[in-house]
Amino acid sequence: MEVFSGRPRTPERHPPPGRPRDRRASLLDVRSAAGQVFLLQVVIVVLLVAATVVGMILQAARDALQQGRRESVIAAQSFANAPGTAAALRSRDPSAVLQPRAEAARKRSGMDFVIVMSTTGIRYTYPYPREIGKKFVGTIGPAVKGRTVVEQAGGPPLPAGRGTDVQAVVPVTDARGTVVGLVSAGLTVRNVAALWMPQLPIILGSGVAALALAMAGTTLVSRRLRGHTYGLSPVELARLYEHHDAVLHAVREGVLITGDDGRLLLANDEAARLLGLPEDAQGRPVQELALPEPVMRLLSSPETVTDEVYRAGNRLLAVNKRPTYPRAGRGGSVVTLRDTTELAAVSGRAEVARERLGLLYEAGVRIGTTLDVERTAQELAEVAAPQFADLVTVDLLDAVLRGWEPTAEGWRQLRRAAIGGARRMIPVYPLGEVITFSARSPQMRALQEGRGVLEADLRQAHGWREQDPERSRTALESGLRSLVTVPLRARNVALGVVNFYRAAGSPAFEPEDLAFAEELAVRAAVAIDNARRFTREHAMAVTLQRSLLPRGQPEQDALEVAWRYLPAEAGVGGDWFDVIPLPGARVALVMGDVVGRGLHAAATMGRLRTAVHNFAVLDLPVDEVLGNLDDLVVRMDDEERAGDAPGDHEHAGVTGATCLYAVYDPVVETCTMARAGHPEPVVVRPDGTVTCAGVPASAPLGLGGYPFETTELSLPEGSQLVLYTDGLVEDRAHDIDVGLERLRRALEGSGMRTPDETCQAVIDALKPSHSCDDIALLTARARAFPPARVAEWEVPSDPALVPSVRAWCRETLRKWGVEEAGFATELIVSELVTNAIRYGSPPVGVRLLHGRCLICEVSDGSGTSPRLRRAGTTDEGGRGLFLVAQFAQRWGTRYTPRGKVIWAEQALHDGASAVPRLTPVDFLLDQFELDGFDDPGS
């Protein structure tokens, strides 16, 4: 179909203006189709030739290697089986007999070497005599066992020079089948180019011929194409057709092209719509198209027209007309039509669009003012009603309301989260009710399809009516007429649906309203998802922090403990506390505070609490515990600075963390404490007197390089030690000294209170109405270890006195009524005392403590630590620590200023030792060959 003009087609075609008339095409121009095809053919031919050459080279190399392996095996086996070889190997000088034979065999077989060697690999023969007597380079193990070995290896220089050495090693056996020596034969696989070079000219000639044929074919195709396209390039042809399609379909003005004979040559879609043209209008005379009379005269007349208005049915058309070839004087014209009747409608739509933009702006300002999911949903309902809808309801998944990640499994049940609009009396589901949507309901369709659903007339919406027939009937009687339901989606995840209703007095929803509702829902979904994620993070932080705090009180005899923890209203922080039982009936108390909020602070707190546990297990002094903790915080700060985490407060370093570490010994009734930037603890004496502990202040954790001072405080039985974080005494309304004074007043008269009562009294007196920081409070009342449950002896450095020590232990356990633990205790004491006398230094002491468990401690003046070492089956000792570990529930070492203490604990149940039934010790020692209890110098 001709669409360019009414002139007849001519064999000649003028090139576009500015383009030279050059029809010659270069195959080297890769921008042309012919050049690209030729380039592709060249690449294919080159790849085929290269692949063929590489394949020939690899095949030739493999064939040469396989041939070398076969020849090496044949040569080695021939020489090994030759008469006299075995006898020569048993002679006094095998080299003198075998060297000439080997060289002769090498020259006859064409091998590079034939080597005869002993079963240990010592050469008897070699092409170079100076290498005789040296170790053979290669694998001989399988050949010594009677098998043949073929391998690639390298060794001393060979006459053949360098290359891939292929050698075979075969055994030489005597008449009885005994291997008396080895023979190795091999050769060097040299350049295999001679195997494939003769075929290279054939391959290259074929490639050149293929390229010549490709060039000839591409040239013929290029000339043929240019002949059919009148010299136009593919880009120019594509541009012409793109312009043609734009005129036909994209332009919102009607276009008519008529020829000089009055026939219609072209009518685009808009012109056909405006004039009501039939489908076969193109090519027919204008008079046969049944057009309105004014339009008919316009198309038939030769004059030009500019912006004249013509009526066509109920439309007013603005018309422009120009001749097709004004300079050539040939007939034909181009007519453009523009419908002016839609200007008013367009103006109305523009006003509606302006109102909608204002509503979207208002939604951006009013929705998401808080990080509460239900409040954000209510803001969406209040913004959309009544400006867009008469009634708005928001239904969310339960997972979204709780801050969880929503899943498709929860779509069938949504909870009504918000209702907005003046028509709240219409019977709809109330707030908080769980709604189970049917599969045909508009809400479920919107969730499944991921797009909004329009129900222009609810009376015809069968899926909506079958959801709840009774409620739907009442709603229709109350005036509901139209519905748009849109899914609330964020990050491509459905959070719920929002339902927009209009009543009988408002116009029904149209497709344009659906698009606006989807845009409004997208903005609201982002705010709801932000609130959901905040809810999730807050819940996760609270859960994480509470999971990292102590769940219950550990079993111990030294302290009666109670605590309180109150998180801040604006999020969780990094406060923590801990009660850690230590060896020797001692207990460690920890109170710390990490600066910051959220998951980062809670996670950092967990890391510090775990570190304190690990340091406490090592039974380090309190100042060393804080020193190690300070180094850990410094490393954590360095990791944060060196990492790629964003520089916001959530990922800031932990410099500024504080900690207080105290160890209470109930046997001597003393408490050793040190604090790193933490508030000073308070002591409540048994008579109710409140004093400060007097712990020197040290720098907070994370500054690095500062020492931590310790103090030892006498804490008699009944005294209470109160530890707390700064959130208890600091407030924006008053100074910290005021908070400390209030704490002292709250603790006055607490001498007779239990720790739990003391905690509650302090919280009631000091808890702020709006807490902006976490509060952690720990109260511990001291207990004294009964002297009757403590037994101590000094042991002279004489191994002959060990039986006496066992007798003392046996008598002490009898007095305590735990004779059943006597065997295990005597064994533990005997092993520990014996090793302390043998490997330690005076003075040696023994102490037994009877509390919740039976504790045995052996001290000496040496600073070396015992350790487990592997004991052999022939060793006379070295198994003592293994026996101690088997009969004790726990054991370990702690260091003192005067040496060390080795301790072992045995659990007691009903007064008896709870040692489980053990495998016999001798059997365990035989099976595992475990190491024993020795000092490093033993």
Side-chain angles (χ1 to χ4, degrees):
M1 176 184 66
E2 287 292 333
V3 296
F4 300 103
S5 67
R7 62 174 181 166
R9 179 181 295 178
T10 59
E12 293 186 358
R13 179 64 180 260
H14 297 281
R19 181 175 179 271
R21 190 185 182 96
D22 184 9
R23 297 190 179 184
R24 293 176 300 172
S26 175
L27 293 180
L28 299 180
D29 186 4
V30 296
R31 292 175 297 178
S32 64
Q36 294 174 0
V37 172
F38 178 70
L39 180 61
L40 178 61
Q41 292 174 338
V42 170
V43 171
I44 292 174
V45 171
V46 171
L47 289 178
L48 290 176
V49 171
T52 304
V53 173
V54 171
M56 290 175 55
I57 295 174
L58 295 178
Q59 182 64 34
R62 187 178 64 178
D63 292 344
L65 187 61
Q66 291 295 333
Q67 182 179 357
R69 293 168 68 94
R70 289 193 301 269
E71 292 178 357
S72 299
V73 172
I74 293 172
Q77 289 180 346
S78 299
F79 193 86
N81 296 327
T85 302
L89 286 170
R90 293 185 178 275
S91 63
R92 282 189 173 183
D93 189 1
S95 296
V97 178
L98 296 174
Q99 174 69 8
R101 297 181 185 179
E103 285 302 298
R106 178 178 68 85
K107 295 176 180 179
R108 288 195 307 270
S109 61
M111 294 288 104
D112 290 333
F113 63 88
V114 175
I115 303 173
V116 184
M117 70 197 83
S118 67
T119 55
T120 59
I122 303 300
R123 301 192 190 101
Y124 292 145
T125 67
Y126 199 80
Y128 298 129
R130 64 176 177 275
E131 300 295 335
I132 296 175
K134 295 182 180 180
K135 189 73 173 181
F136 175 71
V137 179
T139 303
I140 65 174
V144 172
K145 296 179 181 180
R147 297 195 299 270
T148 299
V149 180
V150 182
E151 61 180 351
Q152 293 176 235
L158 294 171
R162 296 184 178 181
T164 303
D165 294 338
V166 179
Q167 63 185 18
V169 181
V170 299
V172 180
T173 59
D174 57 10
R176 292 176 296 178
T178 303
V179 178
V180 297
L182 306 175
V183 175
S184 175
L187 53 79
T188 302
V189 181
R190 301 176 183 82
N191 190 359
V192 296
L195 300 177
W196 57 271
M197 283 295 291
Q199 302 181 27
L200 184 61
I202 299 175
I203 298 174
L204 295 179
S206 301
V208 172
L211 289 177
L213 291 176
M215 181 181 296
T218 304
T219 303
L220 294 176
V221 171
S222 176
R223 291 179 178 177
R224 190 68 177 269
L225 288 176
R226 286 189 172 274
H228 285 289
T229 58
Y230 301 101
L232 295 176
S233 67
V235 176
E236 293 171 334
L237 287 175
R239 187 181 298 115
L240 289 177
Y241 280 105
E242 288 173 1
H243 295 169
H244 177 266
D245 290 340
V247 172
L248 286 180
H249 306 292
V251 177
R252 293 297 297 169
E253 288 190 357
V255 178
L256 298 173
I257 299 179
T258 59
D260 53 0
D261 57 352
R263 292 180 177 273
L264 182 63
L265 300 180
L266 172 66
N268 69 346
D269 297 345
E270 184 68 9
R273 184 184 69 83
L274 294 176
L275 299 177
L277 297 177
E279 295 182 358
D280 58 345
Q282 295 187 100
R284 295 172 56 185
V286 174
Q287 291 78 5
E288 299 179 2
L289 299 180
L291 296 175
E293 184 63 26
V295 177
M296 182 75 69
R297 288 198 304 271
L298 171 67
L299 295 177
S300 301
S301 62
E303 70 269 10
T304 61
V305 174
T306 302
D307 291 334
E308 292 188 6
V309 178
Y310 290 82
R311 177 175 294 277
N314 57 351
R315 299 178 182 274
L316 295 177
L317 305 179
V319 180
N320 288 275
K321 180 181 178 183
R322 293 292 185 274
T324 306
Y325 297 102
R327 297 180 180 179
R330 287 179 284 179
S333 60
V334 178
V335 179
T336 60
L337 310 171
R338 186 173 63 255
D339 190 358
T340 59
T341 56
E342 297 183 358
L343 290 178
V346 171
S347 299
R349 286 196 296 270
E351 180 64 22
V352 173
R354 186 187 64 80
E355 294 177 356
R356 296 286 170 82
L357 287 176
L359 184 56
L360 288 177
Y361 174 77
E362 183 181 357
V365 174
R366 292 179 55 186
I367 299 177
T369 58
T370 66
L371 290 174
D372 181 80
V373 176
E374 294 185 0
R375 178 56 192 164
T376 305
Q378 186 62 41
E379 290 170 348
L380 168 60
E382 293 174 355
V383 166
Q387 301 182 62
F388 177 66
D390 298 321
L391 174 67
V392 180
T393 62
V394 181
D395 304 323
L396 300 177
L397 279 73
D398 264 341
V400 175
L401 294 172
R402 298 180 183 181
W404 302 343
E405 192 71 22
T407 59
E409 287 77 8
W411 288 358
R412 294 295 299 273
Q413 290 187 337
L414 303 180
R415 189 177 296 275
R416 180 61 45 89
I419 301 177
R423 295 180 176 269
R424 295 193 180 185
M425 298 306 295
I426 296 178
V428 294
Y429 292 103
L431 284 175
E433 183 169 346
V434 177
I435 309 171
T436 302
F437 289 105
S438 63
R440 297 181 55 192
S441 63
Q443 291 82 1
M444 185 55 61
R445 288 165 50 200
L447 286 172
Q448 292 176 345
E449 298 174 6
R451 58 180 180 84
V453 175
L454 169 63
E455 296 287 356
D457 190 353
L458 289 176
R459 292 169 295 185
Q460 308 299 325
H462 301 291
W464 177 79
R465 298 184 65 176
E466 73 178 16
Q467 170 67 30
D468 191 337
E470 183 62 26
R471 194 186 299 269
S472 302
R473 183 184 59 80
T474 308
L476 291 174
E477 293 175 354
S478 301
L480 283 187
R481 287 294 179 270
S482 186
L483 165 67
V484 167
T485 180
V486 181
L488 293 168
R489 298 179 64 86
R491 299 178 295 108
N492 203 28
V493 176
L495 310 176
V497 293
V498 55
N499 306 297
F500 303 96
Y501 293 94
R502 283 183 181 176
S506 302
F509 284 115
E510 297 180 355
E512 292 82 0
D513 298 316
L514 176 60
F516 172 77
E518 289 177 338
E519 178 65 24
L520 185 62
V522 167
R523 298 178 179 232
V526 173
I528 292 175
D529 188 58
N530 289 337
R532 178 196 66 79
R533 296 172 68 182
F534 172 79
T535 303
R536 180 193 61 184
E537 291 185 6
H538 181 73
M540 289 174 59
V542 172
T543 302
L544 174 62
Q545 188 179 38
R546 292 192 180 276
S547 67
L548 295 175
L549 293 176
R551 300 292 183 89
Q553 297 190 14
E555 294 185 358
Q556 44 87 24
D557 300 318
L559 297 170
E560 182 183 352
V561 183
W563 58 69
R564 294 290 187 276
Y565 174 75
L566 303 177
E569 293 181 355
V572 297
D575 294 9
W576 95 91
F577 55 90
D578 220 333
V579 180
I580 307 172
L582 298 178
R586 299 169 302 140
V587 175
L589 299 178
V590 188
M591 180 69 69
D593 186 4
V594 177
V595 178
R597 287 285 182 275
L599 286 175
H600 185 265
T604 302
M605 177 267 287
R607 296 175 66 181
L608 296 182
R609 179 172 180 251
T610 303
V612 172
H613 266 273
N614 294 333
F615 297 147
V617 170
L618 297 176
D619 213 347
L620 301 175
V622 292
D623 56 337
E624 292 187 21
V625 170
L626 292 183
N628 291 329
L629 203 61
D630 181 59
D631 294 339
L632 174 63
V633 174
V634 171
R635 289 196 300 271
M636 293 167 62
D637 282 336
D638 293 340
E639 291 174 1
E640 292 288 346
R641 297 188 186 99
D644 298 330
D648 56 8
H649 68 281
E650 283 290 338
H651 296 83
V654 295
T655 301
T658 65
C659 183
L660 184 145
Y661 187 74
V663 176
Y664 174 68
D665 190 342
V667 178
V668 295
E669 299 184 22
T670 59
C671 184
T672 305
M673 291 180 284
R675 60 189 179 108
H678 202 80
E680 186 176 11
V682 178
V683 178
V684 182
R685 299 296 177 179
D687 59 358
T689 305
V690 180
T691 60
C692 292
V695 184
S698 300
L701 300 176
L703 299 183
Y706 292 92
F708 298 97
E709 299 183 41
T710 62
T711 185
E712 187 173 86
L713 176 69
S714 177
L715 207 63
E717 186 173 11
S719 301
Q720 294 190 33
L721 184 63
V722 180
L723 311 180
Y724 54 91
T725 56
D726 55 2
L728 182 68
V729 295
E730 286 187 356
D731 195 352
R732 296 178 181 177
H734 55 74
D735 191 64
I736 187 174
D737 294 334
V738 178
L740 292 174
E741 183 60 30
R742 293 175 59 193
L743 175 61
R744 293 190 185 95
R745 290 198 302 267
L747 290 174
E748 289 179 354
S750 298
M752 301 305 294
R753 293 175 180 170
T754 64
D756 191 75
E757 292 172 346
T758 302
C759 283
Q760 193 58 46
V762 172
I763 292 297
D764 292 341
L766 276 74
K767 179 184 178 183
S769 56
H770 298 285
S771 176
C772 59
D773 194 5
D774 293 3
I775 296 176
L777 175 65
L778 175 66
T779 302
R781 183 162 63 182
R783 296 171 178 167
F785 205 90
R789 297 296 183 93
V790 180
E792 296 183 88
W793 307 281
E794 288 190 6
V795 182
S797 297
D798 186 359
L801 297 178
V802 174
S804 301
V805 176
R806 291 200 299 268
W808 296 339
C809 292
R810 187 184 314 114
E811 180 63 22
T812 302
L813 296 180
R814 187 189 61 79
K815 292 180 181 180
W816 289 344
V818 289
E819 296 91 339
E820 294 83 354
F823 173 77
T825 305
E826 289 181 39
L827 187 147
I828 292 173
V829 170
S830 177
E831 292 294 340
L832 296 182
V833 171
T834 300
N835 283 278
I837 294 174
R838 180 178 299 175
Y839 304 113
S841 59
V844 177
V846 178
R847 185 172 74 167
L848 296 180
L849 303 176
H850 180 205
R852 293 177 182 268
C853 60
L854 183 61
I855 304 173
C856 173
E857 297 181 344
V858 176
S859 62
D860 65 82
S862 173
T864 57
S865 177
R867 55 191 175 88
L868 284 167
R869 296 190 310 172
R870 181 169 297 280
T873 56
T874 59
D875 292 341
E876 296 181 0
R879 300 177 179 84
L881 187 57
F882 169 69
L883 296 176
V884 172
Q886 291 297 310
F887 284 93
Q889 184 183 22
R890 295 192 307 156
W891 70 274
T893 306
R894 75 171 184 268
Y895 296 93
T896 65
R898 294 177 296 178
K900 69 175 180 296
V901 176
I902 310 299
W903 56 268
E905 293 183 359
Q906 301 177 68
L908 297 177
H909 297 291
D910 299 330
S913 176
V915 177
R917 295 183 62 185
L918 299 174
T919 305
V921 175
D922 293 338
F923 175 76
L924 288 174
L925 295 176
D926 292 339
Q927 290 296 317
F928 299 101
E929 299 182 359
L930 292 175
D931 30 7
F933 176 33
D934 292 319
D935 278 291
S938 62

